[in-house]
Amino acid sequence: MDRIVYDRMAAHDSTHWWYRARRDILADYLTRYAALPADARILEIGCGTGHNLPMLSGFGRVEAIEIDPAARAIAGERLGRPVGDAPLPALPGVERGAYDLVAVLDVVEHIEDDVAALKAMGDLLRPGGKILIAVPAHQWMWSAHDVVNHHHRRYSKATLAAAIERAGLRAKKLTYFNSLLFPLAAAARLAGRMTGRDDSDDSPPPKPLNAAFETIFRLERHLVGRLPMTPGVSIVTLAEPK
């Protein structure tokens, strides 16, 4: 990702509505569907500034990988121990067959060979282990945001399921999320395309709007995985070996 993306992440990941509500949604999703052991060993790959690490730590002992040096340093401070720098799909030095959960949260879209990356993640799992995957949805929503984040693609439910299948895994509870705000997000993307507006700035909106968006998005913690979700800005699933 461009340096500015990491800088904005570091500045806003504790206050921005998207980060805050998404952590709660993913925590509830894991609680309901991951069936992790009490002493789960967890690896987050591409942890960025480490903003998901406290949430994941509620499910077991967490380790992390991040290839950007500045973001890795911040993540290490949050985790309280060193964060690795092994890149996908090779993951040199990462123990195989060792993890109950591998989390890749808005990471797979950054990898040119997503199937090879997913296969490598599968090799890290213990028997019964799972991969928590979140990706951006809808290729037609491609914008400057995807460019500065160095995305290779956005996904449909079908293309994500196909990549998981080709990696020798199967998807469970694959669903859209960030659906309640999707009409607004889609309208903003289409308007930006027509006007040529640059939407790459991920800074939070004014506080009242930030709070409103957070409240609306967080409502999905009660819905994701339980009910069929209408199209959303993102897709989430748990993947496991066949």
Side-chain angles (χ1 to χ4, degrees), residues 135-143 146 153-157 159 176-179 182 186 189 193 230-235:
V135 295
H138 309 296
Q139 188 65 30
W140 61 263
M141 290 186 73
W142 188 272
S143 71
D146 298 282
R153 68 196 74 79
R154 299 177 70 94
Y155 286 89
S156 67
K157 289 167 64 175
T159 58
Y176 290 115
F177 72 118
N178 202 353
S179 297
F182 177 72
R189 289 289 173 95
R193 187 172 299 167
T230 56
V233 181
S234 301
I235 301 168

Side-chain angles (χ1 to χ4, degrees), residues 7 23 30 49 60 85 105 110 118 124 135 146-147 154 162 177 196 212 228:
D7 292 342
R23 287 191 288 265
L30 284 172
T49 54
D85 61 354
L105 305 175
H110 295 270
L118 289 164
L124 303 180
V135 295
D146 298 282
V147 175
R154 299 177 70 94
F177 72 118

